[in-house]
Amino acid sequence: MPHYQIVKGARDIFPDEMIQWKRVEAVIGGLASIYGFSEIRTPVFEYTELFQRSIGASTDIVGKEMFSFQPEPGGRSITLRPEMTAGVMRAALQKNLLASSPVQKLYYISELFRKERPQAGRQRQFSQFGAELLGAASPAAVAEVIIFMMHVFESLGLSGLRLRINTLGNKTDRQRYREALRAYLAPYYRQLDDASKERFEKNPLRILDSKNPDMQDIVAGAPKLHDYLGGEALDDFEKVLAYLSDRGIDFQIDHLLVRGLDYYSYTAFEVTSSALGAQDALGGGGRYDSLALELGNASEIPAAGFAVGMERLLIAMQKQGLFSQQEAPGPAVAVIVPQQEYFDRAFGIVNLLRRSGISTVIDLAGRSMKAQLREANRMHASWALFVGGEELATGQYPLKNLVASTQETHTLDGVVDVLRQSASVNPHCG
RNA sequence: GUGAUUGUAGCUCAGUUGGUUAGAGCGCCAGGUUGUGGCCCUGGAGGUCGGGGGUUCGAGUCCCCUCAUUCACCCCA
């Protein structure tokens, strides 16, 4: 057992898995540019008030899951970001991005931190990719964000997904409903669980998506948010759904879907994967027009976005065998040194090959020739080049094709030519 | 924060009612092949049995504490 262990809830990503991450990131980046989203990075920490104000003081995230600390005694508290939307909005407002162009489309792949007990598909440090579309209120803007997200899943080959969607209406709709819901729940107050009692005052809508069966029984007879929505919200929702249908995206309307962050309004959605365990939410998002106002802007800024858990995405893909043929590409050639006294000159040849653009490795541990070849094999090198006293004296170098097990002799220039030509047909690259 | 689970070699795991120097497979290293990998054969290295305390003539095995892991609840990605 090593003395030092990784921090609870964190994870190392070793080269084998890194290949998978790179592939997923490449798909995300490629589709982002097709949909017109530009990448943004923001700091891993922000002043704590930003999250309290945006996510909502009554949420679980702010209440018990943030890593917060004071760098200076008596100074302002800062927090490792538990989500990205607040930071992106802060950055946009601070730079006054919307002044240069009224619609901003941003995406990110970033690390987040939440102080929870780790379990399958949940870590204390994790990453999300997501997009934020700022400055547009149209149903098409919301649809675009959802279509982008679903397109990423599709391109990665994911199946068994379920998209649930709901509309939370506008502020006045929700205010009327909140009161109606409270009126309905009041007689049941004693039967509510502790969490629901707390939410009764602060945010009774959250009781709707409680997983506690007892709560679900009570909620079953509650008034429906849908019945309190104004024509504006209903029209908006219908249009969003129409865009999704046109694109051929399957969804399921779920009037109980509320989501745990306070800043959502109008459309909210969530995607789950049957390939995941208990933590099956792959991603979610919605519209958050009031966030800018909440953060001190003079007016609301219409906005929509989503976030997808990268680790969960990778887990789902691994479960569905979408990485099966992934293999690390090996070097083109391994330089083999039969006698160590010629290492320095062999090393010179290695550098020459590399300057010619050929990926080259050489044993740096002074191991036996057999070990050097075994290592070359393990790394899936395509070729082995032997550099010993005899070769250096004659200028003729045996070059062995490790895949076909054939061998011929060339001058150094000849070696470079062969390796350059074979690079495009390297069976281990591609 | 709550509940359960599991900690023996780098990895996956054996280890019988407590009983000599704690094992296997894979991996690693070396040799068989005086300068040619994969397959095969032989050998080798590698373990404070998670840590601490206790019971006992004797503890990997039983008891207590502790640390860590994993899964689940709450909630979320």
Side-chain angles (χ1 to χ4, degrees), chain A residues 182-193:
Chain A
R182 236 183 237 130
Y184 166 82
L185 288 172
Y188 297 98
Y189 187 80
R190 285 163 181 277
Q191 298 169 42
L192 298 179
D193 58 26

Side-chain angles (χ1 to χ4, degrees), chain A residues 185-421:
Chain A
L185 288 172
Y188 297 98
Y189 187 80
R190 285 163 181 277
Q191 298 169 42
L192 298 179
D193 58 26
D194 291 346
S196 296
K197 278 177 180 157
E198 184 132 359
R199 287 169 188 155
F200 181 83
E201 288 304 330
K202 292 175 177 169
N203 191 355
L205 296 217
R206 296 277 320 283
I207 300 176
L208 292 181
D209 61 5
S210 170
K211 284 177 191 163
N212 183 337
D214 295 337
M215 297 305 102
Q216 288 175 351
D217 289 346
I218 295 174
V219 160
K224 305 285 182 260
L225 170 60
H226 198 75
D227 298 329
Y228 288 76
L229 298 180
E232 178 214 358
L234 290 174
D235 288 350
D236 176 84
F237 194 47
E238 287 309 314
K239 277 187 179 157
V240 171
L241 298 183
Y243 284 126
L244 296 182
S245 296
D246 283 353
R247 170 71 275 288
I249 290 175
D250 286 332
F251 57 82
Q252 195 173 316
I253 297 171
D254 180 353
H255 290 308
L256 296 182
L257 177 72
V258 173
R259 297 188 55 75
L261 290 77
D262 281 356
Y263 51 59
Y264 288 117
S265 56
Y266 294 98
T267 306
F269 56 92
E270 188 168 302
V271 180
T272 54
S273 163
S274 58
L276 297 174
Q279 308 305 319
D280 63 351
L282 200 54
R287 204 167 130 187
Y288 48 94
D289 299 353
S290 61
L291 178 58
L293 194 63
E294 209 63 51
L295 295 183
N297 199 52
S299 59
E300 289 197 343
I301 293 176
F306 69 83
V308 170
M310 291 290 284
E311 286 80 5
R312 290 184 187 178
L313 191 57
L314 275 279
I315 291 169
M317 290 179 68
Q318 287 159 357
K319 280 260 173 63
Q320 297 186 348
L322 299 174
F323 291 118
S324 52
Q325 322 90 321
Q326 288 292 300
E327 197 175 55
V333 61
V335 169
I336 307 297
V337 188
Q339 305 101 359
Q340 284 301 310
E341 62 258 42
Y342 299 109
F343 174 86
D344 290 354
R345 295 186 63 187
F347 193 54
I349 290 174
V350 167
N351 282 317
L352 184 135
L353 293 172
R354 288 174 177 164
R355 299 295 295 181
S356 303
I358 296 160
S359 69
T360 310
V361 295
I362 183 170
D363 174 53
L364 299 171
R367 289 136 91 190
S368 68
M369 191 169 80
K370 176 173 182 159
Q372 292 178 46
L373 278 158
R374 188 168 47 226
E375 185 67 27
N377 201 51
R378 191 159 37 226
M379 298 171 84
H380 300 302
S382 303
W383 301 86
L385 179 70
F386 296 85
V387 180
E390 203 179 306
E391 292 78 9
L392 289 164
T394 62
Q396 295 292 317
Y397 298 85
L399 182 63
K400 180 168 189 174
N401 183 322
L402 291 175
V403 179
S405 233
T406 55
Q407 183 168 319
E408 31 189 64
T409 301
H410 297 280
T411 63
L412 264 190
D413 287 345
V415 167
V416 169
D417 286 344
V418 171
L419 293 180
R420 275 188 169 156
Q421 278 172 22

Side-chain angles (χ1 to χ4, degrees), chain A residues 38-240:
Chain A
S38 307
E39 188 165 13
I40 184 171
R41 289 189 191 178
T42 64
V44 292
F45 43 37
E46 300 277 356
Y47 288 115
T48 301
E49 307 96 74
L50 176 72
F51 300 119
Q52 292 171 334
R53 187 45 85 77
S54 61
I55 301 171
S58 69
T59 60
D60 287 347
I61 293 176
V62 171
K64 59 180 190 188
E65 295 172 5
M66 297 204 300
F67 285 103
S68 301
F69 55 99
Q70 279 181 312
E72 278 97 25
R76 284 175 86 180
S77 170
I78 67 179
T79 293
L80 298 179
R81 60 187 177 200
E83 57 107 45
M84 279 297 287
T85 302
V88 169
M89 182 60 91
R90 190 228 83 230
L93 294 176
Q94 186 171 349
K95 186 97 186 279
N96 203 6
L97 266 193
L98 282 293
S100 57
S101 169
V103 177
Q104 294 288 332
K105 296 165 66 173
L106 303 166
Y107 87 97
Y108 57 83
I109 302 175
S110 299
E111 308 291 310
L112 271 30
F113 305 84
R114 255 123 97 158
K115 196 166 57 189
E116 300 185 271
R117 282 284 279 273
Q119 82 187 66
R122 173 195 285 160
Q123 304 162 203
R124 290 184 158 193
Q125 178 180 340
F126 61 103
S127 47
Q128 291 182 341
F129 98 82
E132 315 288 359
L133 198 161
L134 311 179
S138 67
V142 176
E144 182 166 282
V145 151
I146 297 174
I147 291 167
F148 171 33
M149 178 181 76
M150 296 304 285
H151 198 160
V152 170
F153 296 147
E154 185 189 342
S155 286
L156 292 172
L158 240 52
S159 55
L161 300 180
R162 194 164 74 128
L163 171 64
R164 290 179 303 133
I165 190 164
N166 190 23
T167 179
L168 307 176
N170 62 28
K171 236 181 206 159
T172 51
D173 294 340
R174 261 200 321 287
Q175 188 53 42
R176 281 173 53 220
Y177 177 65
R178 211 186 324 268
E179 279 158 23
L181 184 60
R182 236 183 237 130
Y184 166 82
L185 288 172
Y188 297 98
Y189 187 80
R190 285 163 181 277
Q191 298 169 42
L192 298 179
D193 58 26
D194 291 346
S196 296
K197 278 177 180 157
E198 184 132 359
R199 287 169 188 155
F200 181 83
E201 288 304 330
K202 292 175 177 169
N203 191 355
L205 296 217
R206 296 277 320 283
I207 300 176
L208 292 181
D209 61 5
S210 170
K211 284 177 191 163
N212 183 337
D214 295 337
M215 297 305 102
Q216 288 175 351
D217 289 346
I218 295 174
V219 160
K224 305 285 182 260
L225 170 60
H226 198 75
D227 298 329
Y228 288 76
L229 298 180
E232 178 214 358
L234 290 174
D235 288 350
D236 176 84
F237 194 47
E238 287 309 314
K239 277 187 179 157
V240 171

